């Protein structure tokens, strides 16, 4: 059995179908995993959710699904009218699927799947729920999660650093959320992390990480 992990889809159903064809996905044989953010921004998130449900794919909670859930709960969420209309089109089965999304998935060989990132020095299973779906940068002064809206490019590497550049395991983490378009997926030294959001909805590509029976990436 192969494990096929797919980056942020964001409603791009055509690209998803093309990618599944390319990797010759077999629902009866392969394990299909998504890194979150199936919805929003793209042309057909309803079709993406339906496909994920039909194939009984596993998907970790992305920040876009987390925000949609807060809206569904009646909480105050700043979102465009167009996106609200999109969320209103989700079926009860879609919402049940989103509610069931875990914060992380553990694969064989100590590979873990999250959407956002992990605070260095904290085991994946003990990560802060808010951070694990949103983390990109670490504030070096106090090792806290930094808001991308506070970061200036010239401060990266001085006041802030990307979380994966500090991650030293022992878990190996596959994640989305941070777009790596030029050069494709980003893999850190010793393969502690693999970022597979290659910006499909922004004009990039949709990426799959295909692993063999032992969850070893070919």
């Amino acid at each position: 059995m192969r494990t096929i992990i797919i980056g942020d889809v964001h409603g791009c159903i055509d690209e998803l179908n093309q990618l599944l064809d390319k990797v010759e996905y077999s629902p009866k044989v392969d394990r299909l995993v998504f890194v979150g953010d199936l919805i929003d921004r793209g042309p057909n998130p309803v079709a993406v959710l339906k496909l994920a449900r039909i194939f009984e794919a596993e998907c970790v909670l992305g920040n876009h699904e987390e925000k949609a859930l807060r809206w569904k709960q009646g909480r105050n969420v700043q979102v465009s009218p167009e996106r609200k209309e999109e969320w209103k089109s989700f079926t009860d089965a879609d919402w049940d699927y989103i509610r069931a999304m875990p914060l992380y998935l553990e694969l064989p060989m100590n590979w873990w799947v999250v959407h956002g990132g992990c605070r260095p020095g904290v085991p994946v299973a003990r990560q802060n729920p808010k951070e694990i779906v949103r983390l990109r940068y670490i504030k070096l002064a106090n090792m806290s999660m930094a808001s991308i809206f506070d970061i200036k490019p010239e401060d990266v590497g001085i006041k802030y650093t990307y979380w994966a550049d500090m991650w030293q395991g022992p878990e190996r983490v596959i994640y989305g959320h941070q777009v790596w378009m030029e050069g494709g997926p980003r893999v850190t030294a010793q393969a502690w992390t693999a970022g597979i959001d290659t910006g499909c909805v922004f004009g990039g590509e949709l990426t799959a990480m295909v692993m063999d029976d032992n969850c070893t990436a070919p």
Side-chain angles (χ1 to χ4, degrees), residues 57-190:
E58 299 168 84
C59 181
V60 296
L61 184 70
N63 59 298
H64 283 262
E65 286 89 12
E66 192 273 340
K67 189 172 186 178
L69 284 174
R70 284 189 283 120
W71 171 82
K72 184 67 172 176
Q73 294 165 355
R75 298 167 66 181
N76 185 23
V77 175
Q78 292 185 348
V79 64
S80 68
E82 292 79 13
R83 189 158 295 177
K84 286 183 180 180
E85 289 303 310
E86 174 186 299
W87 291 346
K88 288 177 183 178
S89 69
F90 293 174
T91 66
D92 289 343
D94 291 333
W95 286 113
D96 288 343
Y97 183 76
I98 293 172
R99 290 188 189 96
M101 291 178 179
L103 292 173
Y104 56 83
L105 285 169
E106 183 178 4
L107 307 180
M109 300 296 291
N110 209 24
W111 281 100
W112 296 66
V113 180
V114 306
H115 176 68
C118 297
R119 184 192 292 264
V122 180
V124 175
R126 292 172 52 194
Q127 293 287 326
N128 182 305
K130 179 180 178 180
E131 293 182 355
I132 203 169
V133 299
R134 290 184 176 83
L135 184 65
R136 286 193 181 101
Y137 290 95
I138 296 287
K139 189 174 182 180
L140 292 173
N142 57 9
M143 293 300 290
S144 64
M145 182 175 74
S147 169
I148 59 172
F149 302 107
D150 297 333
I151 297 174
K152 299 177 181 179
E154 60 268 24
D155 289 335
V156 176
I158 300 173
K159 295 182 179 179
Y160 309 96
T161 189
Y162 188 59
W163 73 269
D165 290 338
M166 298 187 68
W167 185 258
Q168 297 181 354
E171 305 99 328
R172 295 186 287 180
V173 181
I174 304 164
Y175 64 96
H177 191 50
Q178 173 67 38
V179 177
W180 306 106
M181 288 179 66
E182 295 185 9
R186 182 181 191 271
V187 180
T188 57
Q190 291 83 43

